[in-house]
Amino acid sequence: MFFDIETKGLGLLEQIYIENLKGRRIILNEEIDSQIFDTVAMQIKKFNKEDEGKSIEDRQPIELHINSVGGSVYDGFALVSAILSSKTPVHGYCDGYVMSVGFAIYAACHKRFAGRFANFMYHEVSTMSFGKNTEIEEVTKENRRLQKMYDELITERTKLKQSKLNTVKKNKKDWFFGVDEALENGLVHEVI
């Protein structure tokens, strides 16, 4: 069990991460990549395994503290899946910023809290593609599929409408907003 891990000899950041895990607090303070599955998604799964046999009401929520500019959409959706499938409630906390696929991860949390100076950013899925026209067309087709998944997650879990998301994409902008607008749009449940 990870609670028995000796933290001596570890770097300060590793010590902080492990100490927070003891209180069911997971820190996501980096760009989203394949390691997120190991350090965050698998920890959510581990807490769910520990909670087997407990009613949902008797499970101590998992706190996911997010401060991320986003990153890999595929890796982000792996974490979204882990959150959505978690029977143990996952509470998302944003004190600084959640952007791009970090925005989607935050939206997936069962209950969402934000600090007064929290910041949010939604934008269209993006990739870099090179190659022949047929290869670029395949990447474009895949981007459309990912965008549909992303937008459906946001519109299902917030009060945001597809028309607003379409306007952001049409204007080719990154949509930055603060906690008041996030609260109004149902992205944030409670300001702390």
Side-chain angles (χ1 to χ4, degrees):
M1 195 163 164
F2 74 81
F3 295 119
D4 297 329
I5 292 176
E6 182 62 47
T7 59
K8 290 179 185 164
L10 295 176
L12 180 60
L13 292 178
E14 290 87 2
Q15 288 179 34
I16 291 168
Y17 186 82
I18 290 170
E19 287 302 316
N20 274 290
L21 284 177
K22 293 177 183 177
R24 288 191 169 212
R25 289 179 302 277
I26 303 171
I27 300 167
L28 173 50
N29 188 19
E30 57 197 86
E31 188 171 324
I32 308 305
D33 62 17
S34 61
Q35 289 184 338
I36 292 306
F37 193 80
D38 299 340
T39 58
V40 180
M42 289 309 293
Q43 199 57 56
I44 291 170
K45 292 175 182 290
K46 182 173 186 1
F47 287 133
N48 274 272
K49 185 79 170 155
E50 290 174 4
D51 289 346
E52 279 182 359
K54 290 183 182 178
S55 68
I56 302 301
E57 299 79 28
D58 291 335
R59 295 176 182 219
Q60 178 187 349
I62 300 163
E63 294 182 15
L64 179 57
H65 294 264
I66 309 169
N67 202 50
S68 177
V69 295
S72 164
V73 177
Y74 293 108
D75 295 313
F77 277 135
L79 181 48
V80 165
S81 293
I83 293 167
L84 293 177
S85 67
S86 177
K87 290 183 181 175
T88 300
V90 178
H91 293 179
Y93 290 81
C94 174
D95 292 309
Y97 51 88
V98 291
M99 301 178 178
S100 191
V101 77
F103 184 94
I105 292 165
Y106 181 74
C109 294
H110 301 110
K111 190 163 182 184
R112 299 178 295 273
F113 302 89
R116 195 172 125 210
F117 298 105
N119 295 282
F120 306 87
M121 189 271 284
Y122 166 89
H123 65 181
E124 189 171 17
V125 170
S126 63
T127 60
M128 303 251 321
S129 59
F130 301 95
K132 300 175 191 153
N133 285 337
T134 53
E135 294 167 333
I136 293 170
E137 287 169 7
E138 283 300 313
V139 170
T140 301
K141 182 180 173 184
E142 178 61 1
N143 282 350
R144 286 189 183 117
R145 184 183 75 83
L146 293 171
Q147 187 68 54
K148 184 175 187 287
M149 289 170 51
Y150 184 32
D151 286 357
E152 284 175 355
L153 173 75
I154 301 305
T155 57
E156 288 170 7
R157 304 202 49 87
T158 71
K159 295 177 188 173
L160 286 164
K161 304 290 184 217
Q162 187 64 53
S163 58
K164 173 63 177 173
L165 303 181
N166 290 344
T167 299
V168 171
K169 291 180 289 197
K170 180 182 174 191
N171 292 328
K172 300 177 186 146
K173 289 186 174 182
D174 293 338
W175 175 33
F176 292 92
F177 55 98
V179 74
D180 291 336
E181 199 169 351
L183 195 60
E184 178 185 315
N185 285 304
L187 178 63
V188 169
H189 295 122
E190 187 177 327
V191 178
I192 51 175

